[in-house]
Amino acid sequence: MLLLRCPLLLLLLPLSSRPQKLPTRDEELFQMQIRDKAFFHDSSVIPDGAEISSYLFRDTPKRYFFVVEEDNTPLAVTVTPCDAPLEWKLSVQELPEEASGEGSGEPEPLEQQKQQITNEEGTELFSYKGNDVEYFVSSSSPSGLYQLDLLSTEKDTHFKVYATTTPESDQPYPELPYDPRIDVTSLGRTTVTLAWKPSPTASLLKQPIQYCIVINKEHNFKSLCAVEAKLSSDDAFMMAPKPGLDFSPFDFAHFGFPSDNNSGKERGFLKSSSKFGRQTSSKPRVDLHKVCIGNKNIFTVSDLKPDTQYYFDMFAVNTNTNMSTAYVGTFARTKEEAKQKTVELKDGKVTDVFIKRKGAKFLRFAPVSSHQKVTFSVHSCLDAVQIQVRRDGKLLLSQNVEGVRQFQLRGKAKAKYLIRLKGSKKSASMLKILATTRSNKQSFPSLPEDTRIKAFDKLRTCSSVTVAWLGTQERNKFCIYKREVDDNYNEEQKKREQNQCLGPDTRKKLEKVLCKYFHSQNIQKAVTTETIRGLQPGKSYLLDVYVIGHGGHSVKYQSKLVKTRKFC
């Protein structure tokens, strides 16, 4: 069995008046015959036991030949469409007696042999139309000239053909197990675990097999060739040779086709980086990913989107022959994201909110009456949080909040507000939030921009320290507390205790120093000082100042670590 694909053959054949033969694995088994040269821009002969890649222009048929010289010869032909359905037909016609090389006398000239073959209609053995990998297998084929006709009516495409007269010993394609299905063994929101039975080619014949998984959101693929075509450049066919020009089927890489040498290698899916990718000159297709995983028969696909349907295909690849067989593909939909419970906010009432690390919470505020303005007050207890406010779907506000912030938005009759609170990436978040349509309703006390407590080093004694802090123009109640700490107490420990939402009610009575009211109409002079007495020499103390608003809610200033003098 031989392949007509070499341009040099076309140049040499017309120069000879004798029947032309090409060497194959069995020198005496095949010979080349050519018919109707004007019908093809290149004639093709199929080699025995080698897979070839070729190209079809839309509505332009192509014909391949091979000769079987002996009756009762085993024969197998496999056609693999890549990215378009094919129509193909295999037929055979008898050779002239002289063409077999067994007749007596001088053989007829080549043109006369061709004419005899052309005038005869071959017997159709098999035909197929579709995009499946299809086979013709016969344990006993008659001698004759075999013709394989192919046509693509949908678009320009490429395909693969394999033929052999020794199908039992060749076995270039990996064999599928008795159950060729892919099983989904585990399903999560972003992961799917797949398992499959190993190919007998690996488990019994001990041939090197690796498995390649293909993931996409459109459909299952029937061949690895189809996957490679999808992964290749969108402009690949634009770079294909024009009809009428001869080119080698083994040089497709020069025309934008994926190289066969790389089809069995791992492309793209790098689990460590949680990204899919591939080496190509074209723009990557984000909806199709391929990863080869060696000889494992279980694999977890990660970094998927929740509530999304994915299609999974598995291909067993013989790394010796670089030829593959498709398992029966499957599909699965990842689980939905856990539905967020929406918390209803009541007008003028403070709501406590806890958010997991990297998490989010949704709140809803629906004023019962018409309103001109709506005020959102947020008190972040720990790290900064992000707040987004939408009114009837329209984004009105997106801000990061540290400490206490107040936002006033224009109202709208019968409006509904959706608040999204996003926590810190480092740790869990806690906050208090108040929504109201009453402009005079303020549960949280106003704070100065700087909430640090300043200690005066020169005023330190063995039994007292003097501190100061800023106030506001609003008259508020301030309470100061002290707590003795160890000498090795550091800033990291202090930071862990900086929950600004914990009020004086969580402190021991013995820790209370005093409470007083304070404000100043002149913001530049809104400073108060206090001397804390009755301390022990050479001891460290943690000082906290709480400001308490009219609604009874308190906010803590930044804690201050002080130390009395050891010797006075």
Side-chain angles (χ1 to χ4, degrees), residues 2 15 22 31 35 51 82 95 103 124 150 188 228-229 374 396 406 420-421 481 486 527 550-551:
L2 293 167
L15 301 179
L22 287 180
Q31 71 176 28
R35 68 177 286 269
E51 185 180 65
C82 290
L95 284 172
E124 182 177 314
L150 303 105
E228 294 292 348
V374 60
L396 302 179
Q406 183 173 289
R420 180 179 183 267
L421 299 169
Y481 284 74
D486 295 333
V527 181
H550 301 300

Side-chain angles (χ1 to χ4, degrees), residues 134-387:
E134 195 55 73
Y135 312 87
F136 170 80
V137 180
S138 174
S139 60
S140 179
S141 297
S143 62
L145 174 68
Y146 285 76
Q147 298 175 174
L148 177 64
D149 295 289
L150 303 105
L151 177 67
S152 173
T153 59
E154 187 173 298
K155 65 176 182 178
D156 297 349
T157 184
H158 62 291
F159 60 93
K160 294 185 177 184
V161 175
Y162 173 79
T164 181
T165 55
T166 54
E168 291 298 324
S169 60
D170 281 4
Q171 297 186 349
Y173 295 97
E175 186 181 348
L176 291 177
Y178 69 91
D179 182 1
R181 295 173 297 179
I182 305 171
D183 294 322
V184 177
T185 60
S186 178
L187 194 62
R189 287 178 295 163
T190 60
T191 60
V192 173
T193 299
L194 307 172
W196 57 95
K197 293 177 175 60
S199 165
T201 305
S203 58
L204 299 179
L205 302 180
K206 305 302 180 183
Q207 293 190 26
I209 297 295
Q210 74 167 343
Y211 300 99
C212 296
I213 300 174
V214 175
I215 308 105
N216 79 105
K217 293 188 278 189
E218 295 180 2
H219 55 76
N220 288 111
F221 287 88
K222 298 181 179 180
S223 69
L224 201 53
C225 174
V227 174
E228 294 292 348
K230 187 77 170 177
L231 286 171
S232 65
S233 170
D234 291 339
D235 298 326
F237 297 129
M238 299 299 292
M239 295 183 280
K242 295 180 180 179
L245 298 179
D246 295 328
F247 62 93
S248 168
F250 306 107
D251 291 335
F252 275 161
H254 300 295
F255 302 113
F257 288 89
S259 170
D260 285 343
N261 294 330
N262 296 327
S263 63
K265 297 181 181 178
E266 182 176 21
R267 283 177 181 257
F269 183 86
L270 303 177
K271 196 165 184 181
S272 60
S273 62
S274 302
K275 296 291 181 184
F276 293 107
R278 62 187 178 91
Q279 297 297 322
T280 179
S281 58
S282 64
K283 295 181 179 179
R285 293 178 178 272
V286 297
D287 61 339
L288 177 63
H289 313 288
K290 171 190 165 189
V291 54
C292 295
I293 60 170
N295 57 6
K296 296 186 296 184
N297 64 332
I298 186 169
F299 186 74
T300 297
V301 184
S302 57
D303 299 300
L304 304 176
K305 293 182 179 180
D307 193 27
T308 304
Q309 182 158 299
Y310 288 91
Y311 294 85
F312 302 96
D313 292 290
M314 177 62 58
F315 300 94
V317 182
N318 187 325
T319 56
N320 282 343
T321 64
N322 212 23
M323 297 164 75
S324 61
T325 305
Y327 278 65
V328 177
T330 188
F331 61 89
R333 178 174 289 274
T334 50
K335 291 183 178 180
E336 294 183 7
E337 285 276 18
K339 291 185 177 180
Q340 291 281 358
K341 182 180 178 181
T342 303
V343 179
E344 293 286 343
L345 296 179
K346 294 184 179 180
D347 198 331
K349 184 178 180 181
V350 176
T351 301
D352 294 309
V353 180
F354 175 81
I355 307 172
K356 294 180 180 179
R357 186 175 70 91
K358 295 184 179 181
K361 283 289 179 69
F362 292 88
L363 303 93
R364 182 174 175 270
F365 181 52
V368 295
S369 59
S370 60
H371 55 283
Q372 293 183 336
K373 293 181 181 180
V374 60
T375 302
F376 293 94
S377 299
V378 181
H379 181 192
S380 176
C381 307
L382 300 169
D383 295 324
V385 296
Q386 184 190 62
I387 179 173

Side-chain angles (χ1 to χ4, degrees), residues 65-77:
F65 298 88
F66 58 88
V67 173
V68 174
E69 292 193 337
E70 297 180 2
D71 287 331
N72 303 317
T73 299
L75 178 63
V77 178

Side-chain angles (χ1 to χ4, degrees), residues 378-531:
V378 181
H379 181 192
S380 176
C381 307
L382 300 169
D383 295 324
V385 296
Q386 184 190 62
I387 179 173
Q388 287 185 345
V389 180
R390 295 179 183 272
R391 183 184 64 205
D392 300 330
K394 181 180 179 181
L395 183 64
L396 302 179
L397 171 68
S398 182
Q399 289 279 337
N400 288 331
V401 175
E402 280 189 284
V404 176
R405 290 286 301 275
Q406 183 173 289
F407 306 98
Q408 197 169 72
L409 306 176
R410 182 177 297 177
K412 186 179 180 181
K414 298 181 180 180
K416 293 180 176 60
Y417 300 86
L418 181 66
I419 302 98
R420 180 179 183 267
L421 299 169
K422 187 177 180 181
S424 168
K425 294 181 180 180
K426 300 177 182 178
S427 60
S429 301
M430 295 173 60
L431 60 96
K432 295 177 181 287
I433 185 169
L434 168 78
T436 182
T437 56
R438 292 169 282 176
S439 57
N440 61 344
K441 181 70 174 178
Q442 275 191 310
S443 287
F444 299 134
S446 58
L447 289 175
E449 291 186 4
D450 189 348
T451 59
R452 292 176 297 175
I453 303 171
K454 178 177 174 58
F456 299 95
D457 186 64
K458 291 183 179 182
L459 300 178
R460 276 194 310 146
T461 71
C462 292
S463 61
S464 68
V465 293
T466 300
V467 295
W469 64 89
L470 298 178
T472 65
Q473 294 174 317
E474 180 184 338
R475 187 173 184 269
N476 284 316
K477 181 181 180 180
F478 294 87
C479 294
I480 186 165
Y481 284 74
K482 64 174 174 61
R483 177 165 63 93
E484 184 179 335
V485 295
D486 295 333
D487 289 338
N488 58 1
Y489 189 88
N490 55 37
E491 289 296 321
E492 186 63 30
Q493 290 173 286
K494 186 176 74 171
K495 187 177 181 180
R496 289 199 295 265
E497 297 180 4
Q498 285 289 11
N499 187 342
Q500 293 188 350
C501 295
L502 295 178
D505 55 322
T506 63
R507 303 298 296 263
K508 297 177 181 179
K509 290 183 179 181
L510 293 176
E511 295 177 349
K512 182 177 180 181
V513 177
L514 59 85
C515 291
K516 68 177 184 179
Y517 287 89
F518 163 72
H519 77 289
S520 175
Q521 294 300 323
N522 186 348
I523 194 63
Q524 302 297 329
K525 296 181 179 181
V527 181
T528 184
T529 61
E530 194 65 44
T531 298

